[in-house]
Amino acid sequence: DAGVTQSPTHLIKTRGQQVTLRCSPKSGHDTVSWYQQALGQGPQFIFQYYEEEERQRGNFPDRFSGHQFPNYSSELNVNALLLGDSALYLCASSWAARTDTQYFGPGTRLTVL
Amino acid sequence: AQSVTQLGSHVSVSEGALVLLRCNYSSSVPPYLFWYVQYPNQGLQLLLKYTTGATLVKGINGFEAEFKKSETSFHLTKPSAHMSDAAEYFCAVSAPHASGGSYIPTFGRGTSLIVHP
């Protein structure tokens, strides 16, 4: 049973560019949440997707957007990249009825130069 | 609103010694509390969680934590540290979101556990 998978593992972009990160949830999970973890900090909630809709959103600008597909996989898009967007981006999946128990993927390390 | 304070960004112990990582929380509703571990270049792994009921919670790898409502604390302990316990540990608090009912955790800044031989 595969856990949460994310791609790519690492990514280097320059300021102003756009990036797309991908996440496949744990088998059977229907809810995907995205987090940003800056160096030396705890993860911060970006948004959560369920039934292909954004269900909750944290305090992030609308440069951060997402999508969920019918197979429950998800994408995180960030436009107009800033140096401060450099971070580890974590995806977590859960059942909609049990969002208190989230399983995290290994993350995508984004470096913005 | 909810928040988490982890006391000490770094904790250093000798192999075989007691591990104590401190976490205090703030929540306007009865909280769910979590401890996660993160090894270098990896995601977060759930160690243990408190939801309701017994206040002493046992987790994986010999860790346990006690929910103390009067002290708003949820400290993580392990009787004897192993070299393999060296990692970053995050405490998190969660409660049903007002509008959607979904649990969104708020994480502390993390404590790096260093284990000396």
Side-chain angles (χ1 to χ4, degrees), chain B residues 14-85:
Chain B
S14 298
E15 192 173 19
L18 171 71
V19 175
L20 171 60
L21 305 182
R22 300 178 186 274
C23 172
N24 288 90
Y25 70 91
S26 172
S27 178
S28 56
V29 298
Y32 284 15
L33 295 160
F34 307 82
W35 275 99
Y36 288 88
V37 61
Q38 185 176 36
Y39 297 100
N41 301 313
Q42 294 188 27
L44 276 69
Q45 180 183 8
L46 181 66
L47 278 176
L48 50 81
K49 68 176 181 180
Y50 168 80
T51 55
T52 58
T55 57
L56 182 62
V57 181
K58 295 186 184 298
I60 61 172
N61 301 340
F63 285 94
E64 62 181 37
E66 186 171 11
F67 169 60
K68 293 187 175 181
K69 184 178 179 181
S70 61
E71 299 177 8
T72 61
S73 69
F74 191 58
H75 302 331
L76 181 71
T77 60
K78 182 175 180 178
S80 176
H82 295 159
M83 296 295 291
S84 60
D85 294 327

Side-chain angles (χ1 to χ4, degrees), chain A residues 8-66:
Chain A
T9 306
H10 296 85
L11 204 52
I12 299 175
K13 293 287 188 178
T14 57
R15 282 177 296 176
Q17 286 189 312
Q18 180 265 344
V19 68
T20 297
L21 310 182
R22 296 175 176 82
C23 171
S24 291
K26 183 178 169 63
S27 178
H29 285 180
D30 55 9
T31 300
V32 173
S33 302
W34 286 92
Y35 297 82
Q36 180 194 65
Q37 185 179 13
L39 199 62
Q41 304 290 322
Q44 285 197 295
F45 173 71
I46 303 174
F47 41 54
Q48 183 181 88
Y49 275 83
Y50 170 65
E51 291 188 333
E52 303 179 47
E53 296 284 338
E54 184 180 285
R55 186 180 187 183
Q56 308 283 359
R57 188 177 182 93
N59 188 27
F60 278 80
D62 57 11
R63 296 188 298 109
F64 290 77
S65 63

